[in-house]
Amino acid sequence: MKELFSAGASQVDITPPLGTLVNGNLITYYAKKIHDNLHAKALVVKDAHTTVALVVVDICAMQIDFLNEVKSEIFRQTGIPTANILISSTHTHSAGSVTDLLGCAVDMAYRKKLPALIVQSVMQAQQNLRPAKIAFAVVDAPEHVVCRRYFMKPGFVAHNPVTGGNDTIKTNPLGYESDIEKRASRIDTSLSFLAVKGMDEKWISVLANYSMHYVGDCEDGTITPDYFGVFSKQIAAKLNAGTDFIGMMSNGTSGEANIWDFLQPDRYPKENFKKSELIGSDLAEKVFQAVKDIQWEVNPAIAVAYKEEQMGVRKPSANELMSAKKIVGETIYERLVTDQDGIDKIYAREQVLLNEFPDRVAFPVQAISIGSGVIGALGGEFFSETGLWLKAQTAGTPYFTICMANGYIGYVPPAHEIEKGGYETWRCRTCHLELQAEDDIRNQLLQLIHRVKDVHGPQ
């Protein structure tokens, strides 16, 4: 049989220098310690007609304008169409900042440096193309992810800094564990992966997907890829793969899911990095065991569908804006403390800045089929409900959703979760799409999934 499918992978070091601004928190921190290096990792796959680049970057978030520029340069250097490029953030909260998030500023020097490194990873992966085969698989990994949104006991006050009222839900109720009633929703415990091996039986890559936010078991100002990096190193070691093997862990629908378990706070070691090492290693072991039974596909066909939806933006009312401006005008943000009063002031600033947004913004939606499996991509932080629904609609087809892909709009909760409140729903620059946006986006992605599945007929 003529070999029509090929694959290549590569990684490029993107570790920022000490002193770089670090985002992912309510305020800006500066890089003061490098625990382990960060990477842009690329997997390029090619059939007789189509080439696709799948890129995972050790960074918190990258917005659509930034990534569209990167994709244009990748196209110029490699010829891979921009619609066929999927670039996602792992969402480690210990990386250089290229996006404004709440009180975290952009590090402009690092923002200028990063694009060329991402482009380089794809170029190198394309140069490494060789005849290959693929396999999709999924295992259950319920041990390492929980819902971080909680219903609290009657009488508990969950303050909403945007409305000034009280929420039904409390996210990450640190210090209020005794007031917890129950977790708020079901999370996705699946550990899905795409395995890629050369026809010479040498490993090329494993692209995994898990719906767990990040671990964050280190001091502020530390540079680390979190459990995403641990998984990548451990899966390479367990497979006894060569130095050109690239392990990749992508972030799934983890908007309300993490492993800060407030019902069982002592289930993990508390020393720095011990929890992320344990979780990353265990997930790698699960993939390693599953690999033994996977069914390889030779000459899989590739299809891609991509679109940018125009979504409406929720903005403050005139009265809300007036109140927010008054708070901002009286606040010294350089001396802000992140207590409740400080959080109120951060979100007042968010209302003023959000008011400057256009009334509609672009949101990227993408589906890529490779053989029997499909990968969906969404440019924000989605709840597990979204991912579980998509998996239910695609039952019988290997499928997973990569979030924070091709852009970053922030949180996109289902409308009924916005009604309950909680941190993920507070209106700001990182949660501002219209109430029904999640429902519209999930249906748009499902249409693209069906389209790529139908291109080549039954797989």
Side-chain angles (χ1 to χ4, degrees):
M1 179 186 297
K2 185 178 180 182
E3 294 169 350
L4 302 176
F5 182 84
S6 57
S10 182
Q11 67 179 18
V12 172
D13 194 307
I14 64 165
T15 308
L18 295 180
T20 299
L21 301 181
V22 175
N23 68 8
N25 292 287
L26 290 173
I27 58 175
T28 296
Y29 288 96
Y30 296 81
K32 60 183 181 182
K33 181 191 305 180
I34 297 173
H35 179 258
D36 41 1
N37 289 2
L38 309 181
H39 294 90
K41 302 176 180 182
L43 169 63
V44 173
V45 294
K46 182 178 185 295
D47 68 6
H49 308 285
T50 306
T51 303
V52 163
L54 305 166
V55 188
V56 178
V57 185
D58 289 324
I59 201 161
C60 187
M62 298 177 287
Q63 291 179 318
I64 189 170
D65 56 344
F66 174 85
L67 287 177
N68 282 348
E69 293 174 6
V70 174
K71 290 183 179 184
S72 293
E73 185 60 20
I74 291 173
F75 171 68
R76 192 180 76 82
Q77 296 284 351
T78 68
I80 301 173
T82 56
N84 293 14
I85 303 168
L86 188 166
I87 306 176
S88 71
S89 305
T90 60
H91 203 53
T92 174
H93 281 38
S94 302
S97 174
V98 299
T99 301
D100 264 328
L101 297 177
L102 297 176
C104 308
V106 173
D107 190 297
M108 288 306 298
Y110 189 63
R111 192 184 191 280
K112 291 179 180 178
K113 175 183 178 180
L114 184 59
L117 300 176
I118 298 174
V119 173
Q120 184 183 348
S121 73
V122 178
M123 292 174 63
Q124 291 178 181
Q126 186 181 51
Q127 292 165 6
N128 292 337
L129 283 170
R130 56 193 174 93
K133 55 186 178 179
I134 64 105
F136 282 88
V138 60
V139 294
D140 196 27
E143 305 94 325
H144 304 306
V145 61
V146 299
C147 177
R148 68 179 185 176
R149 289 164 56 81
Y150 295 84
F151 288 108
M152 308 299 282
K153 294 177 181 178
F156 182 85
V157 176
H159 175 68
N160 186 313
V162 177
T163 66
N166 298 330
D167 289 337
T168 304
I169 293 292
K170 176 66 175 177
T171 300
N172 291 337
L174 180 64
Y176 302 103
E177 289 84 352
S178 62
D179 292 305
I180 294 172
E181 186 172 272
K182 62 179 180 179
R183 303 189 199 279
S185 60
R186 176 188 171 203
I187 42 84
D188 186 354
T189 61
S190 296
L191 171 59
S192 303
F193 65 93
L194 165 65
V196 187
K197 185 183 278 191
M199 296 304 292
D200 58 4
E201 296 300 322
K202 293 182 180 179
W203 281 98
I204 294 174
S205 183
V206 169
L207 169 59
N209 182 260
Y210 193 51
S211 295
M212 201 268 281
H213 221 79
Y214 72 103
V215 175
D217 56 341
C218 62
E219 298 176 9
D220 292 326
T222 302
I223 296 297
T224 174
D226 207 275
Y227 84 98
F228 309 96
V230 176
F231 170 87
S232 299
K233 291 178 182 177
Q234 288 297 314
I235 191 61
K238 291 176 184 294
L239 292 173
N240 195 26
T243 56
D244 55 351
F245 170 84
I246 304 299
M248 308 162 73
M249 173 63 82
S250 60
N251 204 319
T253 49
S254 67
E256 85 288 35
N258 66 10
I259 196 54
W260 302 353
D261 191 346
F262 294 92
L263 294 180
Q264 293 180 279
D266 298 322
R267 62 189 290 195
Y268 288 102
K270 300 184 183 300
E271 299 86 354
N272 285 347
F273 307 109
K274 294 301 182 183
K275 184 161 62 171
S276 53
E277 289 171 4
L278 188 158
I279 292 172
S281 297
D282 190 53
L283 295 176
E285 178 64 20
K286 290 180 182 295
V287 169
F288 174 65
Q289 294 300 329
V291 160
K292 299 174 182 178
D293 299 318
I294 58 178
Q295 301 297 311
W296 292 99
E297 300 178 42
V298 178
N299 287 336
I302 302 172
V304 182
Y306 177 90
K307 68 187 303 185
E308 291 182 7
E309 283 287 295
Q310 292 295 314
M311 308 301 299
V313 174
R314 286 182 290 141
K315 293 186 178 183
S317 67
N319 287 338
E320 288 174 327
L321 182 61
M322 184 182 305
S323 297
K325 285 183 175 179
K326 183 175 187 300
I327 293 171
V328 172
E330 297 172 349
T331 299
I332 302 175
Y333 283 93
E334 295 84 353
R335 302 177 188 172
L336 200 67
V337 177
T338 55
D339 55 11
Q340 187 58 67
D341 179 66
I343 292 172
D344 287 347
K345 291 173 178 177
I346 288 171
Y347 277 88
R349 175 176 178 264
E350 286 296 305
Q351 306 315 302
V352 176
L353 297 178
L354 178 60
N355 189 63
E356 299 299 313
F357 274 35
D359 293 334
R360 301 186 71 79
V361 293
F363 185 89
V365 185
Q366 184 182 40
I368 299 171
S369 68
I370 307 172
S372 67
V374 179
I375 299 171
L378 294 174
E381 297 187 66
F382 284 75
F383 282 28
S384 290
E385 177 183 320
T386 306
L388 290 169
W389 183 86
L390 288 164
K391 288 177 178 178
Q393 303 306 308
T394 56
T397 297
Y399 173 80
F400 58 84
T401 308
I402 298 179
C403 283
M404 289 160 281
N406 305 314
Y408 179 77
I409 206 77
Y411 288 98
V412 189
H416 60 85
E417 294 294 337
I418 296 176
E419 292 173 0
K420 296 173 186 172
Y423 161 75
E424 303 88 347
T425 73
W426 295 340
R427 186 185 63 224
C428 61
R429 290 176 298 161
T430 51
C431 182
H432 58 261
L433 295 188
E434 55 196 335
L435 291 177
Q436 297 301 319
E438 183 272 341
D439 185 68
D440 181 51
I441 290 168
R442 70 159 71 166
N443 282 287
Q444 289 294 331
L445 177 52
L446 184 60
Q447 290 180 23
L448 298 191
I449 291 169
H450 289 318
R451 187 187 306 175
V452 298
K453 284 176 61 181
D454 294 341
V455 167
H456 301 290
Q459 300 290 342

